[in-house]
Amino acid sequence: MSATTDHPPLQAVPFRAPTARLALKSVSPSGGPVELDGAWWPHSRDLTSELSTLADVLDPLWGRITRIAVNPRYWPIIPPRIFVNGHVVKVGWFTSELDPHKILLLSYTAGRWDLLVIPPEASAPSAARLMAAASASAGPPMTATALMTAEQADDTSSSYEAAAGRPDRLVVGI
């Protein structure tokens, strides 16, 4: 008796390096309250495609993401669920309860994380400063909006100081 199989031959699949632009805090031994667990700089405002890239990095670190919550101010389309890496992630949105510059990620196995969402159109120097500030373990906890406001104020003063002939500051957004 012979058996035949209709399975296609195995093919080598190239390794796909994660493309999420992400900075995370190290685990703090104090266990105190933390406003942000890090920062994420998506490439676009397309939540469906961007969440897959984010989950590629976070699922192995934190456990499978099962739910997310966003503020709809900066996400033009918010589907009720997104198919990500072989599982469904339920999506919720809150206008007044959730900081518009933050994404809330939930996992059944590991809990909750809050990430600053850096606008996709941010300059690389600005995004680097925001990622460093959101993932810093030292200093008082800051909200996502407070970090974004401080960065916008820094951008304004950097442009002003450059115009005034002060070369000691980085010029962003001119």
Side-chain angles (χ1 to χ4, degrees), residues 111-134:
R112 167 188 171 152
W113 300 275
D114 296 279
L115 296 177
L116 167 68
V117 178
I118 299 169
E121 58 276 359
S123 67
S126 179
R129 285 190 298 271
L130 286 165
M131 291 179 115

Side-chain angles (χ1 to χ4, degrees), residues 74-92:
Y74 297 114
W75 298 103
I77 298 172
I78 302 175
R81 62 190 58 80
I82 300 172
F83 192 70
V84 175
N85 301 338
H87 70 281
V88 174
V89 175
K90 293 182 181 178
V91 181

Side-chain angles (χ1 to χ4, degrees), residues 133-154:
S135 62
S137 297
M142 292 184 70
T143 66
T145 293
L147 283 172
M148 292 300 294
T149 302
E151 179 61 27
Q152 289 167 352
D154 189 45

Side-chain angles (χ1 to χ4, degrees), residues 69-72 93-100 102 104 112 114:
V70 296
N71 185 307
W93 56 270
F94 302 93
T95 54
S96 60
E97 298 87 359
L98 189 62
D99 188 321
K102 185 163 73 170
L104 169 72
R112 167 188 171 152
D114 296 279

Side-chain angles (χ1 to χ4, degrees), residues 7 16 51 55 58 67 69 71 76 81 89 97 110-111 124 136 142 144 151 158 164-165 174:
H7 297 288
R16 188 181 89 194
L51 187 59
L58 295 181
R67 293 179 181 268
N71 185 307
R81 62 190 58 80
V89 175
E97 298 87 359
M142 292 184 70
E151 179 61 27
S158 293
I174 293 182

